[in-house]
Amino acid sequence: ALMRDKSKPLKIGQSAVALNKIFIYTSGGRLLSEITWEGEEIAQLGWNDDELLICMQVDGVGVAYDLHGDYQFQFSTGRAVREQGVSHCCIWGSGAVLLTMENNIFWVSAEAGFEDARTIELPAPLLDSTPTCMTVIEPRLTGRDSPDVLLAADDGTVVVVDSDDTQEYPT
């Protein structure tokens, strides 16, 4: 699934891809479907284990579509996420991690599916600056019930956050 990044400028003479379209392709590059997006700005797109496209909006609302671009359902990640806004998001087969504009981390546990997802706040990352990147190690790979969230900052600091603790690794 692809969507044009509105923050990237186009070269002169380059044709513009529609800003409000999501394109779903096969792995071989054949267009399967298009979705005309009418919701809030999208923070991240990702696929779940049921082959549904999860579109996570900056207001914390997730919207799911099938491979053919047909709407399936939507879910909320809660009031705290909505009020703070989503700055980064990592989506995997049975969950997601959201980093808010206020640098708080929320885990969307969707073991029973995103329709029945529950949102869990993880410990604060205690960074002095805004993270520049984030990645997640899924619970099935950590051997625990929760994911590990790795954040990096401009000053070279790497922080690992899990459901119990925050550990900082300065460079």
Side-chain angles (χ1 to χ4, degrees):
L2 300 171
M3 182 175 208
R4 184 179 180 279
D5 185 351
K6 297 178 207 177
S7 68
K8 307 288 188 219
L10 291 174
K11 294 179 183 177
I12 294 175
Q14 189 177 24
S15 62
V17 175
L19 291 176
N20 64 340
K21 293 269 189 186
I22 298 171
F23 301 95
I24 300 176
Y25 292 90
T26 66
S27 59
R30 186 174 54 87
L31 181 65
L32 281 177
S33 59
E34 293 180 16
I35 300 167
T36 301
W37 187 255
E38 297 174 356
E40 294 287 323
E41 182 181 346
I42 292 178
Q44 186 68 41
L45 300 173
W47 296 95
N48 76 354
D49 286 340
D50 297 325
E51 295 182 356
L52 294 176
L53 177 64
I54 306 297
C55 305
M56 188 59 65
Q57 300 178 159
V58 294
D59 65 356
V61 172
V63 184
Y65 293 90
D66 67 13
L67 288 169
H68 305 289
D70 295 326
Y71 171 85
Q72 298 298 303
F73 60 87
Q74 77 177 33
F75 62 95
S76 173
T77 57
R79 191 173 94 193
V81 175
R82 183 180 68 246
E83 290 173 353
Q84 295 178 36
V86 177
S87 68
H88 288 73
C89 177
C90 291
I91 300 169
W92 67 89
S94 62
V97 168
L98 312 172
L99 177 67
T100 68
M101 304 281 187
E102 296 179 12
N103 292 337
N104 292 315
I105 301 173
F106 293 86
W107 167 34
V108 181
S109 176
E111 290 296 322
F114 276 87
E115 284 181 282
D116 299 318
R118 57 190 173 97
T119 304
I120 302 158
E121 187 168 6
L122 296 178
L126 306 173
L127 284 171
D128 293 333
S129 60
T130 302
T132 55
C133 66
M134 175 176 85
T135 192
V136 175
I137 302 172
E138 302 173 33
R140 67 182 178 89
L141 300 174
T142 64
R144 293 188 303 277
D145 292 335
S146 68
D148 283 356
V149 182
L150 286 75
L151 301 165
D154 277 338
D155 63 3
T157 302
V158 175
V159 173
V160 179
V161 179
D162 63 27
S163 62
D164 300 323
D165 197 6
T166 298
Q167 297 177 353
E168 185 177 316
Y169 298 95
T171 57

